[in-house]
Structure formats: C-alpha cells, structure tokens
Amino acid sequence: MHVPTRLTALRPTLRRVPPLAVLLTATAALYLWGLGSSGWANAYYSAAAQSGAESWRAFFFGSFDAAGSITVDKPPLGVWPMALSVRMLGLSSWSILLPQALMGVATVAIVHHGVRRATGSSPAALLAGATFALTPVAVLMFRFNNPDCLLVLLLAGAAVATLRALDSPRAVWWVTLAGSLVGLAFLTKMLQAFLVLPALALVYALFAVAPWRRRVLHLLVAVGATVVAGSWWVVVVELWPASSRPFIGGSQHNSALELVLGYNGVGRLTGAQTGAVSGPKGWGHNTPLRLFDPGSGGQASWLLPAALVLALAALWLSRGTVTRARPALVLWLTWTGVTWAVFSLMNGIFHDYYTVALAPAVASLIGIGAHVVWEHRAHAHATWAFGAAVLVTGLLALVVLWPQRGWIPWLPWLVGALVGAAVWRVLVAHRRAIPVGVGFAATALLAAYVGPAAYSVETASTPHTGAVPHAGPGGGSGPSYAEDPVGDLLTVSSSPPDLTRLLVRHADDFTWVAAVTGANSAAGFQLATDRPVMPVGGFNGTDPNPTLAHFRRLVADERIHWFVAGGGRYVPEDGGETQPVTRTGSNDAVRIERWVSRHFTPQVVDGVVVYDLTFVTTPLTPSQVPDR
C-alpha cells in the first residue's frame, strides 16, 4: 500500500502557487540577499536619510544635515522612503536599503502586469519579469540607494497606466495617474523623468479608442497632472524665505528652479553645468555606441539589440491586426529609442548606472516581441527574426565578456557554443521549411541569459559603495581610489575611532560638530558621529554655501567646532596621486579652507588634519569677523 509522504502531499499545493508569486519571491531573494553588506552604499543619500529621520524640516527639504545647511542636489522624493524607514527601524544599512529592494520587486510586478495584459500570455509576462529582475544594473540599483530606483518604479507605473487608458471607460483617470506618476518621477530625478513623455503621448494619441477631441483633452489633463505633481515642491521652496530653509544644493543662487533648468536640466544634455566637476577625461565618449562598449554594455544592454529585433519583427508580423500588443510595442520602442539617444549623445554628467531606466522597456519588448514572433513562428520572417535576435545577443555578450574572461574563463566559450547551437537550429528549420521548436527556444534562452545572470549573481554577492556603482565583476567598490579617511569627490570618508571620539566631544554645544569640503567627505563623519556635519560647497564643493563671510560668522558664533582638511579632492581611477578637476561655480570652499589654515592650528588625529575652530591662533581683524 502507498503511504503518502509529506512531499507527495505538498505537490498539489505547489501546483496551485501562482507563477507570479514564484517570480516575485525569487526576485525578493535576489535583491534582499546579503543586503546589509554594502554598508552605507551611497553615503551621500544615507546621510540625508539619517537627517530626514531626525528632523521633519530636513525631511521636507531633503537636507543633507539635520541642522539644515544645504540640501542634496536632487529633489527630496527619493530620500523620503529611506528616511521613513530609518524613523521606523532605526539607522542601519538594512533600513536604508530595504525600500529600494522592495521597489525592485514592485517594478517586476508592474512589468509582468503590463506584458500579461498586452499579450494575454503568462509565459510572456514571466519572461519579461525575469528579464527585468536579472538585468545586472537593476540588481545593482535595487540593492543600492540612489534615486534611480524610485524613478524607474514610477515611470514603469506611468507606462502601464497609459496602456490601461487606451481602451478603458475610465481613460481620463488612467492618464491622470500616468501624468501624476511622471510628475513624482520628476521630483525624484528631475529632467530624466521626461524622457518617457514622447512615448506616453505618442501611444495615447495614436491608439486610444476615444475620439480625437477627447484624446487631446485627456492629454491636456495628463500634462496638468504632471505639472502639479512635479512642481508643487519647487513652488513651495521658491516661495519659502531663503533665510529659514537650507541652501538648495546643486544651484549657484539658492534656487530650486535653477536646479531644474541648469544642473539637473538642460546642462545634463549640453555639458554646460555650472557647479559640476569632471576629471581629466571628462565623462567619456558620447557616440551612438556608448551603451554597447564593454563597460556600459554589461549593465542593461545585453538584450537591447534582441529587444529591438523582436519588437520590430512583431510589429511587421502583426500588421493589419488590432491587438493590445501593438501599442505596447510602440510605447516601449519609443521609450527605448529616446532614452538610448539621450544617454548616448549627452555631453553632461553620465554614469553607466543611469541605464537602469532602459530595463523596463527592454524587458517588456523581449516579453511581448518574443510572444508575437512565436505566435507567427510558421512564417519564415519569424524564423529569421529569432535567429537574428540570438546572433546579435551573442555578439554583444562576447563584447562584454571577452575583456572579463579572467573572471570566468569558460563563460564566453559557453555563450558562443549556445549561440552557435541556436543559430544552427534556425538554419535547419529554414532549410526544412518548418517552424523553430521548443529545443531552439530552450537553447536561445540559455544563450541569452547565462551572461546577464552570471553578472547579476556576481553583483548581488559583492558589496557596492561610493557614488558611482557598477554592476558585474570588479564593480564592487567602483574605481580604485587612494585610501584616505577623509574620502574624496566620489568616495565616502571613514571616521577613525579616535577622530570620532574627538568630534562628538561637547557635540551638544555646537550646531555642527565639524565642517569639511564636499558632501562625500562629510557623509562618513556625519554617519559615524550621528551629529550634523557641514558639507562645505555641497556635493562637488562648488556651491556657494556657505560663503566665506557666512562661514566666518558661524565660527565667531561658535556654531562649528572642527574643520576637517583635505575634503573634496579627486583621485584618478588608477589610484594615483590626487589630480585637479575641472570646476565651475563657486570657489568659496577653497577660500574657506585657506582661511582656516591661516588662522587656526592644525592637529593630526588618526592621520587626519583637523582644526579646532574655537581656538584662534592668529588674531582675526574686525573685517574677518562680520557683524552678526
């Protein structure tokens, strides 16, 4: 007689588990695995979250320090989830990084929903969700604390809301939601949020079932929602008395509107960003192939060529039909094209992790395009489309993996073999005039995903810190910087024990326990002491806050205890000597450090030069101590 075992009894239950639940659980495991190993990750935003958890005023403005000297150089929306998490759970790496990991799981669910609705296919939706979850830069960013996490979540939601509006009797509500989400995305990372607007507007104008006049009206409502949701914080800040709020970081005139139009606006495209800095090599080459070089290509571009091939083939094969897949393909293709063009050709600050904005589009195109082409696989054009998609994916994978062959030497050869096997099956199918089968599909999936999956596992298993994280092998600590407790332009300071004890001594008697040039240099000291530290000059050390006159007044009022020397430097990627950077904007930070060195006695604590600002060694003239 058969005796049921626990495993036998469990099988019917497992069969009832929705595939989406399995996908989301696996994604959560990948994004939460060893999450605390990255420490403060981007300490710049961790310090702002710490401050927001301590002060509602700092929370609202997105202030770097709880004392409210200066804001981060973005709107505060990306900091708010972290600050709330810290308020509830206490200050830790986990409490800061947990919201981003949950955002990643939510974005996978949104991508899955959008593809499922467009195709009616659960396998296609699962393929899209898995593609997004395994995109290396998505694994990187949703385990990190840059504002790109919330940006991608909001924009993916806006795209799916727009697609829902096309044939919904409540279209106006859906477009209002889409516009509001884009506006909130603007309050997360400003101008980058608007890269999706051409895609959303074009698809609604072309495919909505409403009459043309109503479509125009709906689009105007969506624009209004975007303006309201995206501008309210800017308006409040502009109307708020400047004397009772923090200086707006990233601006030169204490203006949120200037931040919108300049440093985080058109300046990103033209390179004319007052207040920005760059190393001797600037921000890399801006060409149409920027996203396909070995460094950038390993972030989000693994399946980008295949997504374009499959999407265009799907549009051709489904011509003359009315389906939900076609508007979805047009939306995600336009999203991909505009984002690709801007990222490739922009002259301003560009980092490889920005490409996480491509991940929802690429994943959706893969899911929808593969489904439509598979449905037409009896057509010769579908066979060739699958072959071309596999071939270009393999070529790009080899471009990315070959320079990294010392990491996993056999991986490029495995990818090459799988691609060769898949292409051979395509040729056989074409010669016999039969559609490609399940064997081809399995081989093609292995060929396409073994590379990004390996990169994703490597990314999840490696701690990432600093301002410029990078997915894949060797990207854990970003560039190799010289070791210095004060940090530099892009790496956080590390406060040694003796120095930390010195800084917190009599801390309650001062507004700021210390000041140091540059926000990354200030961040480590602030997180270590749990006391406000003033980042002189903001993130880059180029903001006019405080001015030299204002700093002298604060020193005279004994509101700053210590000054830490050596912050805000630039160290090249090869770890060599400090090099000068190209700086635009205020030079007050340089003047402040020179003034301090002339009038106060240096001390060396744990290898760090500090000045006690309450003990003047060179008498100050009346002109050096402004009237209060």
Side-chain angles (χ1 to χ4, degrees):
M1 183 177 67
H2 175 71
V3 179
T5 64
R6 180 172 303 203
L7 180 60
T8 303
L10 186 61
R11 284 173 182 168
T13 303
L14 292 176
R15 293 192 191 102
R16 292 195 296 269
V17 175
L20 175 59
V22 176
L23 173 64
L24 296 182
T25 301
T27 302
L30 179 63
Y31 289 179
L32 292 171
W33 170 35
L35 189 62
S37 63
S38 290
W40 300 122
N42 190 334
Y44 179 55
Y45 294 114
S46 295
Q50 173 199 35
S51 300
E54 295 177 1
S55 163
W56 285 115
R57 177 172 172 270
F59 176 91
F60 177 79
F61 289 109
S63 178
F64 173 87
D65 57 298
S69 66
I70 192 169
T71 70
V72 294
D73 59 3
K74 302 288 187 299
L77 198 62
V79 176
W80 287 351
M82 292 184 283
L84 292 174
S85 180
V86 172
R87 273 186 179 269
M88 292 185 293
L89 303 176
L91 179 64
S92 69
S93 177
W94 252 88
S95 64
I96 286 175
L97 298 180
L98 178 62
Q100 285 68 239
L102 298 180
M103 290 176 199
V105 177
T107 308
V108 170
I110 290 173
V111 169
H112 178 280
H113 172 76
V115 174
R116 176 66 185 269
R117 192 170 187 276
T119 62
S121 168
S122 178
L126 289 172
L127 176 63
T131 300
F132 180 89
L134 288 175
T135 301
V137 74
V139 177
L140 170 72
M141 297 312 296
F142 287 108
R143 295 171 54 86
F144 209 67
N145 61 328
N146 279 17
D148 303 72
C149 305
L150 183 58
L151 174 78
V152 170
L153 171 65
L154 293 170
L155 294 184
V160 173
T162 301
L163 293 173
R164 289 292 301 267
L166 297 181
D167 56 3
S168 171
R170 298 181 176 180
V172 67
W173 297 108
W174 284 111
V175 296
T176 301
L177 174 61
S180 300
L181 291 175
V182 173
L184 293 176
F186 178 83
L187 283 187
T188 303
K189 212 178 175 191
M190 291 197 166
L191 190 65
Q192 186 179 338
F194 290 167
L195 295 184
V196 306
L197 288 180
L200 307 187
L202 176 66
V203 165
Y204 194 78
L206 292 180
F207 294 100
V209 297
W212 268 102
R213 289 185 179 179
R214 192 172 297 174
R215 293 186 209 183
V216 173
L217 178 62
H218 289 175
L219 287 174
L220 291 176
V221 170
V223 170
T226 300
V227 171
V228 172
S231 66
W232 67 269
W233 182 85
V234 176
V235 172
V236 170
V237 170
E238 288 296 297
L239 295 177
W240 201 288
S243 59
S244 61
R245 61 162 171 79
F247 186 93
I248 303 302
S251 74
Q252 294 294 300
H253 301 91
N254 200 10
S255 167
L257 189 60
E258 179 189 349
L259 188 66
V260 171
L261 300 176
Y263 184 80
N264 286 330
V266 179
R268 294 271 172 171
L269 303 177
T270 64
Q273 295 171 267
T274 302
V277 303
S278 65
K281 296 181 181 179
W283 296 108
H285 61 287
N286 52 333
T287 72
L289 298 179
R290 172 187 259 179
L291 303 188
F292 299 108
D293 65 31
S296 296
Q299 306 302 295
S301 301
W302 295 86
L303 296 175
L304 176 55
L308 298 177
V309 169
L310 291 175
L312 293 173
L315 285 175
W316 172 257
L317 292 169
S318 64
R319 66 193 184 281
T321 62
V322 178
T323 66
R324 286 176 172 172
R326 289 181 64 81
L329 287 169
V330 172
L331 185 151
W332 295 116
L333 273 170
T334 307
W335 173 317
T336 301
V338 173
T339 304
W340 177 8
V342 171
F343 284 174
S344 297
L345 302 177
M346 61 189 288
N347 288 310
I349 297 173
F350 173 79
H351 300 302
D352 287 339
Y353 69 78
Y354 291 177
T355 57
V356 70
L358 283 168
V362 171
S364 298
L365 291 175
I366 288 291
I368 300 170
H371 170 78
V372 174
V373 176
W374 185 260
E375 290 290 298
H376 293 80
R377 62 188 179 280
H379 200 294
H381 289 162
T383 301
W384 287 119
F386 276 130
V390 172
L391 185 60
V392 295
T393 298
L395 291 175
L396 181 56
L398 292 177
V399 168
V400 173
L401 292 173
W402 192 252
Q404 299 286 352
R405 58 190 181 277
W407 168 52
I408 303 179
W410 49 264
L411 188 57
W413 300 102
L414 175 61
V415 171
L418 290 170
V419 169
V423 171
W424 176 78
R425 285 180 173 270
V426 167
L427 295 175
V428 170
H430 174 70
R431 185 173 66 250
R432 296 180 179 177
I434 60 174
V436 293
V438 175
F440 161 80
T443 306
L445 287 174
L446 282 174
Y449 287 89
V450 66
Y455 256 55
S456 294
V457 171
E458 175 70 14
T459 300
S461 61
T462 305
H464 290 81
T465 58
V468 189
H470 201 269
S477 299
S480 176
Y481 294 99
E483 296 183 1
D484 190 317
V486 184
D488 56 49
L489 181 65
L490 297 177
T491 54
V492 66
S493 54
S494 56
S495 186
D498 288 345
L499 180 57
T500 302
R501 284 190 288 269
L502 179 71
L503 295 180
V504 298
R505 190 180 304 163
H506 308 300
D508 293 339
D509 296 335
F510 299 88
T511 306
W512 294 273
V513 296
V516 58
T517 299
N520 270 309
S521 294
F525 297 121
Q526 178 167 299
L527 290 164
T529 61
D530 198 21
R531 296 290 194 280
V533 174
M534 178 183 290
V536 176
F539 184 86
N540 294 315
T542 56
D543 297 342
N545 183 77
T547 62
L548 177 56
H550 184 204
F551 187 84
R552 290 172 176 170
R553 186 162 59 250
L554 293 173
V555 171
D557 290 341
E558 295 190 349
R559 297 186 64 189
I560 308 173
H561 193 176
W562 299 94
F563 187 88
V564 182
R569 304 162 300 112
Y570 173 83
V571 179
E573 295 186 7
D574 59 7
E577 294 297 324
T578 300
Q579 295 184 6
V581 296
T582 301
R583 293 180 180 268
T584 60
S586 169
N587 203 35
D588 278 281
V590 176
R591 291 195 289 267
I592 286 171
E593 186 151 1
R594 289 174 179 170
W595 178 79
V596 168
S597 66
R598 289 170 183 164
H599 297 283
F600 299 88
T601 301
Q603 305 177 41
V604 179
V605 181
D606 284 332
V608 178
V609 177
V610 296
Y611 298 86
D612 185 348
L613 299 182
T614 65
F615 184 72
V616 182
T617 56
T618 301
L620 304 179
T621 65
S623 64
Q624 292 172 326
V625 183
D627 294 336
R628 300 183 180 83

